[in-house]
Amino acid sequence: MSVHKEIKRVTTNSLQEMKVRGEKIAMLTAYDYSMAAIVDHAGMDVILVGDSASNVMAGHETTLPITLDQMIYHASSVVRAAKRALVVVDLPFGSYQGNSKEALNSAIRIMKESGAHAVKMEGGVEISESVTRILTAGIPVMGHLGLTPQSIYKFGTYTVRAKEEAEATKLKEDALKLQELGCFGIVLEKIPAQLAKQVSESLHIPTIGIGAGQSCDGQVLVIHDMLGINEGFKPRFLRQYANLYEVMNGSIKNYIDDVKSESFPNEKEQY
Ligand code: KIV
């Protein structure tokens, strides 16, 4: 008899069931194999290979420069590590807004070349043709509304979205549209908690919030932010669970000192 315990993969259906049960969904970003392995072993429900890789991995100011090839590279590393979590990958800026055929090709490349389980796209009714075409090919799609960083130059600022009634109304309509098209979930980024509550209650698919309050069906954070790897990034919505910048900086300084003072390697650390 085998004692090997099989790990059950989280699916888009499991997320739906979690919403029905009232069990909150935990989602976190990862961009490489080693981090994704830690995140997956910890029991994460969803790993997002976010285009925030453009910021935290590549050092760009915005998410706009990251390419489809680069997203596929990050996603395939994460997929190799994730045994339990559902892996969702951002379609990068420029890979789906132009036309729906191009959007489908981009989504197919992500699924085929990385082995990921779903894609995420920013926008509402204006991307409905692309969302529909991708869904028709059997690829699960997660929506993303509110502060959509790929539109940063339209917004001009990273502050809270949909505080005005017109934008809030459009967001509610977009959420219903994405659900009607067949999206399995929607990220709500940086919108008032009360609006996120209304949207979450109006949908049967789960909402995942970032800076959108406690009524969302789940929460997502960027791993570098919550582990305190990015020094100085402390928006109000962020809970920082560690200060890895200090831990890593201190360890690296100790290593430099040890090399300079010739205390590393010692006799036990050589052959
Ligand atoms: O790219 C990303 O990390 C995201 C999250 C902030 C939701 O889209």
Side-chain angles (χ1 to χ4, degrees), residues 29 31 48 50-52 90 120 144 187 189 210 220 222:
T29 67
Y31 317 95
L48 172 65
D51 58 359
S52 48
D90 266 334
K120 177 165 83 56
H144 185 158
V187 166
E189 180 163 354
I210 171 162
V220 58
V222 169

Side-chain angles (χ1 to χ4, degrees), residues 165-186:
E165 201 170 325
E167 196 177 332
T169 303
K170 166 138 173 42
L171 189 143
K172 286 189 233 176
E173 288 166 3
D174 281 343
L176 286 170
K177 183 72 185 173
L178 292 173
Q179 168 173 272
E180 185 192 311
L181 294 176
C183 288
F184 70 89
I186 303 177

